Amino acid sequence: MVDMPQQDSGATDREIEALMRLVHVIEAEHRARPTSSLDLRARMLIQELGLNGESPILSVRRSLRLSPSTLTSLADRLERDGYLERRRHPTDRRTVVLALTAVGRRAFAAEREFYRHLIDDSLRSLDAAARAHVLTALASIAPAAEEAPA
């Protein structure tokens, strides 16, 4: 392990390395899936719409921290491939919303199942109390991670 100067985050080098390894495992697992033709940004967009439902393009862009051109290109590709569609907002016709199609909803369901298996496999060696503690910790840090500045 390379010694890096520690920032004021409070996280130790060991904790940072563990998180980095976890992210690498998740990405490697995604790449190994025979049905996974979607890249990270495409999966993120599908996950965003799957979790939050039909959403205005501006709120999706902010949530995913993507530039307007990046989101437009990504949405164009996913729309062309049948995963999502653009619609006018029902009450503000000037606003464009993104919505998953049936294909997109199936892709989101596959993403959920992938993460369900990943969690089950990763936490298999833990007893019930430790597993509950890890899952509670994940649920409590997710909102803070989403709000952190890019």
Side-chain angles (χ1 to χ4, degrees):
M1 179 173 82
V2 176
D3 286 331
M4 300 294 289
Q6 188 169 341
Q7 301 293 319
D8 292 335
S9 69
T12 66
D13 286 346
R14 182 172 175 235
E15 292 162 340
I16 293 167
E17 184 177 323
L19 180 59
M20 291 170 76
R21 288 181 188 277
L22 180 59
V23 169
H24 290 222
V25 166
I26 291 168
E27 278 304 301
E29 289 291 325
H30 261 293
R31 284 190 304 274
R33 292 167 65 194
T35 59
S36 181
S37 61
L38 299 172
D39 61 25
L40 176 62
R41 286 185 174 151
R43 291 192 322 266
M44 287 172 54
L45 179 51
I46 288 170
Q47 290 168 14
E48 176 75 14
L49 296 174
L51 292 169
N52 298 314
E54 180 176 297
S55 301
I57 207 162
L58 183 59
S59 64
V60 171
R61 187 175 69 75
R62 287 181 179 150
S63 179
L64 297 180
R65 301 176 181 161
L66 297 174
S67 70
S69 61
T70 299
L71 181 56
T72 297
S73 297
L74 181 58
D76 287 347
R77 180 167 45 98
L78 291 176
E79 187 174 35
R80 182 191 68 230
D81 294 345
Y83 289 95
L84 64 81
E85 61 187 4
R86 289 176 171 96
R87 299 181 187 156
R88 291 288 172 193
H89 190 278
T91 59
D92 179 358
R93 304 294 293 161
R94 297 168 298 169
T95 301
V96 174
V97 296
L98 300 177
L100 292 177
T101 62
V103 171
R105 288 189 297 277
R106 284 193 299 274
F108 176 68
E111 283 293 297
R112 278 192 106 117
E113 198 57 27
F114 167 79
Y115 280 100
R116 184 180 322 284
H117 289 296
L118 186 64
I119 288 169
D120 289 344
D121 292 347
S122 298
L123 304 182
R124 181 167 283 124
S125 64
L126 301 178
D127 63 35
R131 178 186 168 95
H133 183 72
V134 168
L135 294 175
T136 299
L138 281 173
S140 68
I141 65 172
E146 289 175 352
E147 294 171 5

